């Protein structure tokens, strides 16, 4: 199809529109990201993939805007830059065969609605609006189609490259085990170099900076194995910036992962979700899935904590599976204590966790007992019901706040 250039006046309008697109208000981008992730729950629950999709959609928005500032109304070539092509790499490394078109089509729809609003702010002339919207509609549609085609082609290249390496065999074996496929245990152990008998502790270790140095993930995996008493934990490349790790044993787990905590403190942007200790092949699966649940909770709540264990967050993960209802639960049970200072909230949380024993709680917090009692009186003034009548619900609500980052509030 021959592309007809728009009239000079409409070219000027498109350039003005593109300049606005290149300097979007923060609430526009928030609406854009929220709609995209809501359309793809599987992507939204994976923090690394969700971040990659958001970066890719932003890059597409700015790519189209830049092209139309430079040459308004002209065909926009596909965006084959690092952001959209990284999506192909992440999908293939996760074993995802179907490309999630919804994330891009929804982004296209949100961008189109915003563009129409801008167009009506720039001109009220019906002829100009008709021509401008027609040109922009065809331009956006052709741009997104071409970009998606480029990503699809890259997926095939990534898949071909991946299947040539030993990683493919290990990733495939782990996938079969997690799915419960009838693969012989001895064969799986030979392919993985990891015993599937005895106890297992699983972890998901990922980086929030997929463009950074991934060696930190391997150092964290080694430290995790050290804490579990396994010098050679099984580590599988789940994606560019995510490792699935299994360690045999649990010798140091109950002591708080000292080696892992020390290593993580030196690794900016590395996050770790740890599953429970479990036995046998079923335990291999269950510990992994519980680690995934922990990772998803950390992502859902925008948690700022670097390490989380499933045993610590099981109830919070369950409660926050519906974020809106969880927020209502917290507000209903905490009232003004929800926005009180963190020191007061932590005092109440520890007090309840110590079975409402003031002496034990004071010792754990390194407080004088009378100081603790004064804080509890203050907490009762802020709570909708006395703590003694509602301690369990208050403790759960405070645990949600403990894991929730400010962006999730």
């Amino acid at each position: 199809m021959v592309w007809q250039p728009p009239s000079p006046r409409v070219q000027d309008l498109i350039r003005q529109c593109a300049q606005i697109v290149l300097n979007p208000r923060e609430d526009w981008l928030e609406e854009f990201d929220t709609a995209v992730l809501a359309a793809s729950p599987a992507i939204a629950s994976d923090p690394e993939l969700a971040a990659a999709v958001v970066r890719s959609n932003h890059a597409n928005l700015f790519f189209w805007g830049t092209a139309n500032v430079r040459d308004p109304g002209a065909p926009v070539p596909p965006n084959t830059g690092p952001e959209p092509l990284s999506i192909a790499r992440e999908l293939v490394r996760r074993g995802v065969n179907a490309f999630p078109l919804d994330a891009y089509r929804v982004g296209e729809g949100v961008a189109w609605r915003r563009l129409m609003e801008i167009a009506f702010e720039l001109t009220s002339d019906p002829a100009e609006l008709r021509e401008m919207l027609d040109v922009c509609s065809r331009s956006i549609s052709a741009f997104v189609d071409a970009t998606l085609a480029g990503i699809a082609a890259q997926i095939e290249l990534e898949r071909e490259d991946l299947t040539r390496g030993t990683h493919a065999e290990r990733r495939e074996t782990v996938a079969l085990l997690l799915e419960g496929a009838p693969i012989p245990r001895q064969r799986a152990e030979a392919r993985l170099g990891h015993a599937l008998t005895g106890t297992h502790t699983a972890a998901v270790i990922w980086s929030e900076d997929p463009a950074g140095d991934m060696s930190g993930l391997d150092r964290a995996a080694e430290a995790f194995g050290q804490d579990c008493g396994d010098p050679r934990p099984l580590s599988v490349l789940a994606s560019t910036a995510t490792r699935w790790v299994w360690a045999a044993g649990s010798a140091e787990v109950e002591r708080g992962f000292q080696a892992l905590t020390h290593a993580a403190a030196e690794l900016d942007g590395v996050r770790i979700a740890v599953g429970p200790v479990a036995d046998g092949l079923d335990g291999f699966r269950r510990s992994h899935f519980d680690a995934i649940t922990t990772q998803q909770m950390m992502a859902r709540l925008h948690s700022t904590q670097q390490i989380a264990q499933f045993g610590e967050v099981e109830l919070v993960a369950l409660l926050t599976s519906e974020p809106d209802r969880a927020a209502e639960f917290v507000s209903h049970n905490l009232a003004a204590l929800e926005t009180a200072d963190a020191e007061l909230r932590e005092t109440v949380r520890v007090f309840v966790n110590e079975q409402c024993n003031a002496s034990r709680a004071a010792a754990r917090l390194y407080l004088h007992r009378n100081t603790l009692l004064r804080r509890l009186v203050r907490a009762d003034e802020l709570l909708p019901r006395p703590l003694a009548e509602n301690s369990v619900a208050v403790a759960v609500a405070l645990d949600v706040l403990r894991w929730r980052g400010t962006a999730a509030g």
Side-chain angles (χ1 to χ4, degrees):
M1 184 177 67
V2 177
W3 190 278
Q4 296 295 330
S7 64
R9 168 57 179 161
V10 168
Q11 283 184 332
D12 183 58
L13 290 172
I14 292 174
R15 179 180 284 110
Q16 292 180 55
C17 177
Q19 289 170 337
I20 295 172
V21 167
L22 289 176
N23 296 280
R25 297 203 317 252
E26 192 64 32
D27 59 312
W28 291 2
L29 289 179
E30 288 178 6
E31 177 194 9
F32 190 59
D33 298 341
T34 299
V36 166
L37 295 179
S40 303
I43 291 176
S45 66
D46 183 323
E48 185 186 350
L49 191 55
V53 168
V54 166
R55 284 195 303 273
S56 179
N57 273 305
H58 287 192
N60 288 338
L61 193 68
F62 295 134
F63 191 96
W64 185 89
T66 299
N68 276 279
V69 168
R70 182 175 58 249
D71 193 359
V76 179
N79 181 7
T80 56
E83 295 87 359
L85 295 188
S86 71
I87 295 294
R89 187 173 302 113
E90 300 309 327
L91 292 172
V92 171
R93 277 157 173 71
R94 285 165 169 77
V96 178
N97 294 318
F99 185 72
L101 295 175
D102 287 350
Y104 286 84
R105 293 304 183 193
V106 168
E108 179 185 355
V110 172
W112 173 240
R113 289 195 299 273
R114 184 63 64 188
L115 186 144
M116 285 193 292
E117 292 177 6
I118 296 171
F120 277 89
E121 291 172 358
L122 293 176
T123 180
S124 59
D125 183 276
E128 291 177 351
L129 282 170
R130 186 182 302 109
E131 183 183 0
M132 178 184 178
L133 294 177
D134 177 63
V135 171
C136 289
S137 173
R138 289 185 288 117
S139 173
I140 291 173
S141 179
F143 166 66
V144 172
D145 286 347
T147 298
L148 290 178
I151 294 175
Q154 185 68 19
I155 285 177
E156 293 306 313
L157 293 175
E158 292 288 340
R159 184 175 291 117
E160 181 182 348
D161 179 65
L162 189 62
T163 54
R164 287 198 297 262
T166 57
H167 163 73
E169 184 177 80
R170 297 176 72 189
R171 181 70 171 80
E172 178 188 20
T173 302
V174 164
L176 291 171
L177 291 172
L178 295 177
E179 292 167 5
I183 179 173
R185 179 175 59 80
Q186 293 84 354
R187 182 183 175 201
E189 289 178 337
R191 295 175 76 177
L192 295 174
H194 180 83
L196 296 172
T197 55
T199 58
H200 305 278
T201 309
V204 177
I205 303 174
W206 75 100
S207 172
E208 295 180 330
D209 180 14
D213 181 6
M214 295 298 110
S215 64
L217 301 179
D218 299 320
R219 294 201 299 275
E222 291 171 5
F224 171 70
Q226 179 182 337
D227 278 327
C228 295
D230 184 352
R232 295 185 61 189
L234 170 64
S235 180
V236 174
L237 182 67
S239 70
T240 303
T242 300
R243 305 287 186 271
W244 290 349
V245 186
W246 286 264
S250 59
E252 299 295 322
V253 170
E254 298 303 324
R255 301 183 192 177
F257 291 106
Q258 296 176 5
L260 182 59
T261 301
H262 178 73
E266 300 176 353
L267 301 171
D268 290 339
V270 172
R271 313 293 297 283
I272 303 106
V274 182
V277 179
D279 294 327
L281 183 53
D282 285 342
F284 180 91
R285 298 187 190 101
R286 187 170 69 254
S287 186
H288 171 74
F289 289 131
D290 287 345
I292 291 289
T293 296
T294 305
Q295 181 199 30
Q296 292 173 345
M297 184 220 71
M298 294 171 76
R300 185 168 59 244
L301 298 185
H302 305 279
S303 178
T304 58
Q305 301 200 41
Q306 198 170 13
I307 302 174
Q309 293 179 252
F310 180 74
E312 294 180 295
V313 304
E314 182 176 6
L315 185 56
V316 174
L318 180 65
L319 181 65
T320 59
S321 60
E322 296 186 41
D324 290 342
R325 297 196 65 180
E328 291 175 6
F329 174 85
V330 170
S331 296
H332 176 74
N333 285 283
L334 296 185
L337 184 61
E338 180 179 1
T339 55
D341 64 83
E343 186 178 60
L344 178 58
R345 297 200 309 264
E346 181 65 4
T347 298
V348 176
R349 191 186 69 82
V350 171
F351 174 71
V352 176
N353 285 345
E354 291 296 335
Q355 288 78 51
C356 299
N357 184 302
S359 297
R360 285 206 305 266
R364 183 173 162 188
L365 291 166
Y366 302 102
L367 292 175
H368 192 282
R369 189 173 184 274
N370 288 342
T371 301
L372 182 135
L373 293 175
R374 283 196 296 272
R375 290 184 184 176
L376 294 178
V377 170
R378 174 57 181 157
D380 264 345
E381 294 171 351
L382 301 175
L383 288 167
R385 294 168 55 192
L387 181 61
E389 297 177 8
N390 196 37
S391 60
V392 173
V394 168
V396 172
L398 288 171
D399 233 12
V400 171
L401 288 185
R402 178 183 173 221
W403 289 100
R404 190 173 73 183
T406 54

